[in-house]
PDB file of all heavy atoms in Angstrom:
ATOM      1  N   ILE T 180      89.076 128.973  28.204  1.00  0.00           N
ATOM      2  CA  ILE T 180      87.702 129.216  27.769  1.00  0.00           C
ATOM      3  C   ILE T 180      86.983 129.988  28.876  1.00  0.00           C
ATOM      4  O   ILE T 180      86.885 129.512  30.009  1.00  0.00           O
ATOM      5  CB  ILE T 180      86.963 127.892  27.495  1.00  0.00           C
ATOM      6  CG1 ILE T 180      87.729 127.062  26.453  1.00  0.00           C
ATOM      7  CG2 ILE T 180      85.535 128.161  27.034  1.00  0.00           C
ATOM      8  CD1 ILE T 180      87.220 125.634  26.327  1.00  0.00           C
ATOM      9  N   ILE T 181      86.504 131.191  28.559  1.00  0.00           N
ATOM     10  CA  ILE T 181      85.731 131.992  29.508  1.00  0.00           C
ATOM     11  C   ILE T 181      84.261 131.885  29.138  1.00  0.00           C
ATOM     12  O   ILE T 181      83.859 132.229  28.028  1.00  0.00           O
ATOM     13  CB  ILE T 181      86.180 133.468  29.498  1.00  0.00           C
ATOM     14  CG1 ILE T 181      87.643 133.594  29.938  1.00  0.00           C
ATOM     15  CG2 ILE T 181      85.277 134.299  30.406  1.00  0.00           C
ATOM     16  CD1 ILE T 181      88.181 135.006  29.881  1.00  0.00           C
ATOM     17  N   LEU T 182      83.450 131.411  30.085  1.00  0.00           N
ATOM     18  CA  LEU T 182      82.008 131.278  29.902  1.00  0.00           C
ATOM     19  C   LEU T 182      81.344 132.259  30.855  1.00  0.00           C
ATOM     20  O   LEU T 182      81.326 132.045  32.073  1.00  0.00           O
ATOM     21  CB  LEU T 182      81.568 129.839  30.195  1.00  0.00           C
ATOM     22  CG  LEU T 182      82.292 128.745  29.382  1.00  0.00           C
ATOM     23  CD1 LEU T 182      81.896 127.363  29.875  1.00  0.00           C
ATOM     24  CD2 LEU T 182      81.997 128.895  27.890  1.00  0.00           C
ATOM     25  N   ASP T 183      80.802 133.327  30.318  1.00  0.00           N
ATOM     26  CA  ASP T 183      80.295 134.430  31.135  1.00  0.00           C
ATOM     27  C   ASP T 183      78.782 134.308  31.326  1.00  0.00           C
ATOM     28  O   ASP T 183      78.026 134.336  30.355  1.00  0.00           O
ATOM     29  CB  ASP T 183      80.636 135.764  30.451  1.00  0.00           C
ATOM     30  CG  ASP T 183      80.264 136.958  31.311  1.00  0.00           C
ATOM     31  OD1 ASP T 183      80.223 136.796  32.544  1.00  0.00           O
ATOM     32  OD2 ASP T 183      80.014 138.040  30.746  1.00  0.00           O
ATOM     33  N   GLY T 184      78.346 134.163  32.593  1.00  0.00           N
ATOM     34  CA  GLY T 184      76.928 134.212  32.909  1.00  0.00           C
ATOM     35  C   GLY T 184      76.198 132.890  32.869  1.00  0.00           C
ATOM     36  O   GLY T 184      75.204 132.744  32.158  1.00  0.00           O
ATOM     37  N   TRP T 185      76.659 131.920  33.684  1.00  0.00           N
ATOM     38  CA  TRP T 185      75.978 130.622  33.737  1.00  0.00           C
ATOM     39  C   TRP T 185      74.522 130.786  34.162  1.00  0.00           C
ATOM     40  O   TRP T 185      73.637 130.080  33.667  1.00  0.00           O
ATOM     41  CB  TRP T 185      76.712 129.701  34.707  1.00  0.00           C
ATOM     42  CG  TRP T 185      75.986 128.426  35.004  1.00  0.00           C
ATOM     43  CD1 TRP T 185      75.326 128.105  36.159  1.00  0.00           C
ATOM     44  CD2 TRP T 185      75.830 127.306  34.139  1.00  0.00           C
ATOM     45  NE1 TRP T 185      74.772 126.857  36.058  1.00  0.00           N
ATOM     46  CE2 TRP T 185      75.068 126.332  34.824  1.00  0.00           C
ATOM     47  CE3 TRP T 185      76.261 127.012  32.847  1.00  0.00           C
ATOM     48  CZ2 TRP T 185      74.727 125.115  34.275  1.00  0.00           C
ATOM     49  CZ3 TRP T 185      75.926 125.785  32.293  1.00  0.00           C
ATOM     50  CH2 TRP T 185      75.168 124.853  33.002  1.00  0.00           C
ATOM     51  N   ASP T 186      74.236 131.705  35.079  1.00  0.00           N
ATOM     52  CA  ASP T 186      72.861 131.871  35.562  1.00  0.00           C
ATOM     53  C   ASP T 186      71.933 132.433  34.494  1.00  0.00           C
ATOM     54  O   ASP T 186      70.714 132.419  34.660  1.00  0.00           O
ATOM     55  CB  ASP T 186      72.856 132.800  36.786  1.00  0.00           C
ATOM     56  CG  ASP T 186      73.658 134.065  36.547  1.00  0.00           C
ATOM     57  OD1 ASP T 186      74.896 133.994  36.646  1.00  0.00           O
ATOM     58  OD2 ASP T 186      73.055 135.104  36.258  1.00  0.00           O
ATOM     59  N   GLU T 187      72.477 132.919  33.363  1.00  0.00           N
ATOM     60  CA  GLU T 187      71.655 133.444  32.268  1.00  0.00           C
ATOM     61  C   GLU T 187      71.652 132.522  31.051  1.00  0.00           C
ATOM     62  O   GLU T 187      71.143 132.877  29.992  1.00  0.00           O
ATOM     63  CB  GLU T 187      72.177 134.828  31.857  1.00  0.00           C
ATOM     64  CG  GLU T 187      72.102 135.867  32.966  1.00  0.00           C
ATOM     65  CD  GLU T 187      72.662 137.215  32.542  1.00  0.00           C
ATOM     66  OE1 GLU T 187      73.215 137.308  31.427  1.00  0.00           O
ATOM     67  OE2 GLU T 187      72.552 138.169  33.321  1.00  0.00           O
ATOM     68  N   TYR T 188      72.189 131.324  31.208  1.00  0.00           N
ATOM     69  CA  TYR T 188      72.312 130.393  30.082  1.00  0.00           C
ATOM     70  C   TYR T 188      70.938 129.807  29.743  1.00  0.00           C
ATOM     71  O   TYR T 188      70.332 129.107  30.574  1.00  0.00           O
ATOM     72  CB  TYR T 188      73.294 129.288  30.456  1.00  0.00           C
ATOM     73  CG  TYR T 188      73.568 128.273  29.371  1.00  0.00           C
ATOM     74  CD1 TYR T 188      73.718 128.654  28.039  1.00  0.00           C
ATOM     75  CD2 TYR T 188      73.688 126.923  29.696  1.00  0.00           C
ATOM     76  CE1 TYR T 188      73.975 127.705  27.057  1.00  0.00           C
ATOM     77  CE2 TYR T 188      73.954 125.973  28.721  1.00  0.00           C
ATOM     78  CZ  TYR T 188      74.095 126.372  27.403  1.00  0.00           C
ATOM     79  OH  TYR T 188      74.348 125.448  26.419  1.00  0.00           O
ATOM     80  N   PRO T 189      70.405 130.053  28.547  1.00  0.00           N
ATOM     81  CA  PRO T 189      69.040 129.624  28.229  1.00  0.00           C
ATOM     82  C   PRO T 189      68.867 128.119  28.072  1.00  0.00           C
ATOM     83  O   PRO T 189      67.755 127.608  28.164  1.00  0.00           O
ATOM     84  CB  PRO T 189      68.742 130.350  26.907  1.00  0.00           C
ATOM     85  CG  PRO T 189      70.076 130.609  26.302  1.00  0.00           C
ATOM     86  CD  PRO T 189      71.009 130.839  27.448  1.00  0.00           C
ATOM     87  N   GLU T 190      69.964 127.385  27.822  1.00  0.00           N
ATOM     88  CA  GLU T 190      69.864 125.938  27.610  1.00  0.00           C
ATOM     89  C   GLU T 190      70.305 125.141  28.836  1.00  0.00           C
ATOM     90  O   GLU T 190      70.634 123.965  28.745  1.00  0.00           O
ATOM     91  CB  GLU T 190      70.725 125.522  26.402  1.00  0.00           C
ATOM     92  CG  GLU T 190      70.437 126.284  25.124  1.00  0.00           C
ATOM     93  CD  GLU T 190      69.071 125.960  24.546  1.00  0.00           C
ATOM     94  OE1 GLU T 190      68.401 125.047  25.068  1.00  0.00           O
ATOM     95  OE2 GLU T 190      68.663 126.617  23.578  1.00  0.00           O
ATOM     96  N   MET T 191      70.293 125.802  30.012  1.00  0.00           N
ATOM     97  CA  MET T 191      70.825 125.177  31.225  1.00  0.00           C
ATOM     98  C   MET T 191      70.171 123.821  31.523  1.00  0.00           C
ATOM     99  O   MET T 191      70.828 122.879  31.950  1.00  0.00           O
ATOM    100  CB  MET T 191      70.637 126.125  32.412  1.00  0.00           C
ATOM    101  CG  MET T 191      71.287 125.672  33.697  1.00  0.00           C
ATOM    102  SD  MET T 191      70.882 126.760  35.090  1.00  0.00           S
ATOM    103  CE  MET T 191      71.426 128.351  34.510  1.00  0.00           C
ATOM    104  N   TYR T 192      68.855 123.732  31.291  1.00  0.00           N
ATOM    105  CA  TYR T 192      68.129 122.516  31.666  1.00  0.00           C
ATOM    106  C   TYR T 192      67.623 121.743  30.443  1.00  0.00           C
ATOM    107  O   TYR T 192      66.672 120.979  30.549  1.00  0.00           O
ATOM    108  CB  TYR T 192      66.943 122.867  32.572  1.00  0.00           C
ATOM    109  CG  TYR T 192      67.365 123.568  33.844  1.00  0.00           C
ATOM    110  CD1 TYR T 192      67.049 124.905  34.067  1.00  0.00           C
ATOM    111  CD2 TYR T 192      68.093 122.896  34.824  1.00  0.00           C
ATOM    112  CE1 TYR T 192      67.436 125.552  35.229  1.00  0.00           C
ATOM    113  CE2 TYR T 192      68.486 123.531  35.981  1.00  0.00           C
ATOM    114  CZ  TYR T 192      68.161 124.861  36.182  1.00  0.00           C
ATOM    115  OH  TYR T 192      68.554 125.493  37.328  1.00  0.00           O
ATOM    116  N   THR T 193      68.250 121.937  29.292  1.00  0.00           N
ATOM    117  CA  THR T 193      67.823 121.236  28.086  1.00  0.00           C
ATOM    118  C   THR T 193      68.896 120.268  27.615  1.00  0.00           C
ATOM    119  O   THR T 193      70.046 120.302  28.082  1.00  0.00           O
ATOM    120  CB  THR T 193      67.520 122.241  26.952  1.00  0.00           C
ATOM    121  OG1 THR T 193      68.762 122.827  26.501  1.00  0.00           O
ATOM    122  CG2 THR T 193      66.592 123.345  27.424  1.00  0.00           C
ATOM    123  N   GLU T 194      68.535 119.423  26.659  1.00  0.00           N
ATOM    124  CA  GLU T 194      69.496 118.481  26.078  1.00  0.00           C
ATOM    125  C   GLU T 194      70.653 119.222  25.425  1.00  0.00           C
ATOM    126  O   GLU T 194      71.806 118.787  25.493  1.00  0.00           O
ATOM    127  CB  GLU T 194      68.785 117.592  25.056  1.00  0.00           C
ATOM    128  CG  GLU T 194      67.805 116.595  25.660  1.00  0.00           C
ATOM    129  CD  GLU T 194      68.511 115.505  26.452  1.00  0.00           C
ATOM    130  OE1 GLU T 194      69.645 115.154  26.087  1.00  0.00           O
ATOM    131  OE2 GLU T 194      67.929 115.011  27.435  1.00  0.00           O
ATOM    132  N   LEU T 195      70.344 120.354  24.771  1.00  0.00           N
ATOM    133  CA  LEU T 195      71.405 121.110  24.090  1.00  0.00           C
ATOM    134  C   LEU T 195      72.453 121.632  25.073  1.00  0.00           C
ATOM    135  O   LEU T 195      73.604 121.839  24.692  1.00  0.00           O
ATOM    136  CB  LEU T 195      70.799 122.285  23.321  1.00  0.00           C
ATOM    137  CG  LEU T 195      70.213 121.976  21.942  1.00  0.00           C
ATOM    138  CD1 LEU T 195      69.543 123.219  21.364  1.00  0.00           C
ATOM    139  CD2 LEU T 195      71.299 121.481  20.990  1.00  0.00           C
ATOM    140  N   GLY T 196      72.039 121.840  26.310  1.00  0.00           N
ATOM    141  CA  GLY T 196      72.967 122.403  27.286  1.00  0.00           C
ATOM    142  C   GLY T 196      73.911 121.405  27.906  1.00  0.00           C
ATOM    143  O   GLY T 196      74.807 121.788  28.667  1.00  0.00           O
ATOM    144  N   HIS T 197      73.754 120.115  27.598  1.00  0.00           N
ATOM    145  CA  HIS T 197      74.600 119.094  28.217  1.00  0.00           C
ATOM    146  C   HIS T 197      76.073 119.300  27.880  1.00  0.00           C
ATOM    147  O   HIS T 197      76.950 119.042  28.714  1.00  0.00           O
ATOM    148  CB  HIS T 197      74.148 117.706  27.776  1.00  0.00           C
ATOM    149  CG  HIS T 197      72.895 117.262  28.466  1.00  0.00           C
ATOM    150  ND1 HIS T 197      72.255 116.076  28.193  1.00  0.00           N
ATOM    151  CD2 HIS T 197      72.153 117.860  29.442  1.00  0.00           C
ATOM    152  CE1 HIS T 197      71.177 115.968  28.947  1.00  0.00           C
ATOM    153  NE2 HIS T 197      71.100 117.041  29.710  1.00  0.00           N
ATOM    154  N   TYR T 198      76.356 119.759  26.655  1.00  0.00           N
ATOM    155  CA  TYR T 198      77.772 119.904  26.274  1.00  0.00           C
ATOM    156  C   TYR T 198      78.448 120.975  27.123  1.00  0.00           C
ATOM    157  O   TYR T 198      79.620 120.865  27.481  1.00  0.00           O
ATOM    158  CB  TYR T 198      77.892 120.233  24.781  1.00  0.00           C
ATOM    159  CG  TYR T 198      77.760 121.696  24.440  1.00  0.00           C
ATOM    160  CD1 TYR T 198      78.884 122.495  24.224  1.00  0.00           C
ATOM    161  CD2 TYR T 198      76.507 122.301  24.333  1.00  0.00           C
ATOM    162  CE1 TYR T 198      78.750 123.841  23.915  1.00  0.00           C
ATOM    163  CE2 TYR T 198      76.369 123.632  24.025  1.00  0.00           C
ATOM    164  CZ  TYR T 198      77.498 124.401  23.816  1.00  0.00           C
ATOM    165  OH  TYR T 198      77.380 125.733  23.501  1.00  0.00           O
ATOM    166  N   MET T 199      77.678 122.021  27.481  1.00  0.00           N
ATOM    167  CA  MET T 199      78.262 123.072  28.310  1.00  0.00           C
ATOM    168  C   MET T 199      78.479 122.564  29.738  1.00  0.00           C
ATOM    169  O   MET T 199      79.507 122.856  30.365  1.00  0.00           O
ATOM    170  CB  MET T 199      77.355 124.297  28.304  1.00  0.00           C
ATOM    171  CG  MET T 199      78.016 125.553  28.828  1.00  0.00           C
ATOM    172  SD  MET T 199      79.498 126.025  27.880  1.00  0.00           S
ATOM    173  CE  MET T 199      78.759 126.517  26.322  1.00  0.00           C
ATOM    174  N   SER T 200      77.532 121.784  30.244  1.00  0.00           N
ATOM    175  CA  SER T 200      77.711 121.191  31.575  1.00  0.00           C
ATOM    176  C   SER T 200      78.912 120.251  31.590  1.00  0.00           C
ATOM    177  O   SER T 200      79.653 120.183  32.581  1.00  0.00           O
ATOM    178  CB  SER T 200      76.448 120.423  31.980  1.00  0.00           C
ATOM    179  OG  SER T 200      75.339 121.288  32.084  1.00  0.00           O
ATOM    180  N   ASP T 201      79.118 119.540  30.490  1.00  0.00           N
ATOM    181  CA  ASP T 201      80.270 118.637  30.401  1.00  0.00           C
ATOM    182  C   ASP T 201      81.586 119.406  30.415  1.00  0.00           C
ATOM    183  O   ASP T 201      82.584 118.954  30.995  1.00  0.00           O
ATOM    184  CB  ASP T 201      80.180 117.791  29.127  1.00  0.00           C
ATOM    185  CG  ASP T 201      79.097 116.721  29.216  1.00  0.00           C
ATOM    186  OD1 ASP T 201      78.635 116.456  30.334  1.00  0.00           O
ATOM    187  OD2 ASP T 201      78.725 116.159  28.162  1.00  0.00           O
ATOM    188  N   ILE T 202      81.606 120.562  29.776  1.00  0.00           N
ATOM    189  CA  ILE T 202      82.827 121.391  29.790  1.00  0.00           C
ATOM    190  C   ILE T 202      83.123 121.863  31.210  1.00  0.00           C
ATOM    191  O   ILE T 202      84.266 121.797  31.685  1.00  0.00           O
ATOM    192  CB  ILE T 202      82.673 122.593  28.833  1.00  0.00           C
ATOM    193  CG1 ILE T 202      82.651 122.113  27.372  1.00  0.00           C
ATOM    194  CG2 ILE T 202      83.814 123.591  29.044  1.00  0.00           C
ATOM    195  CD1 ILE T 202      82.368 123.212  26.374  1.00  0.00           C
TER     196      ILE T 202
END
Side-chain angles (χ1 to χ4, degrees):
I180 303 169
I181 298 177
L182 305 173
D183 186 26
W185 171 254
D186 48 281
E187 298 178 354
Y188 182 41
E190 306 292 353
M191 187 186 303
Y192 301 112
T193 70
E194 290 291 329
L195 278 175
H197 284 177
Y198 85 99
M199 195 59 69
S200 297
D201 287 345
I202 291 174

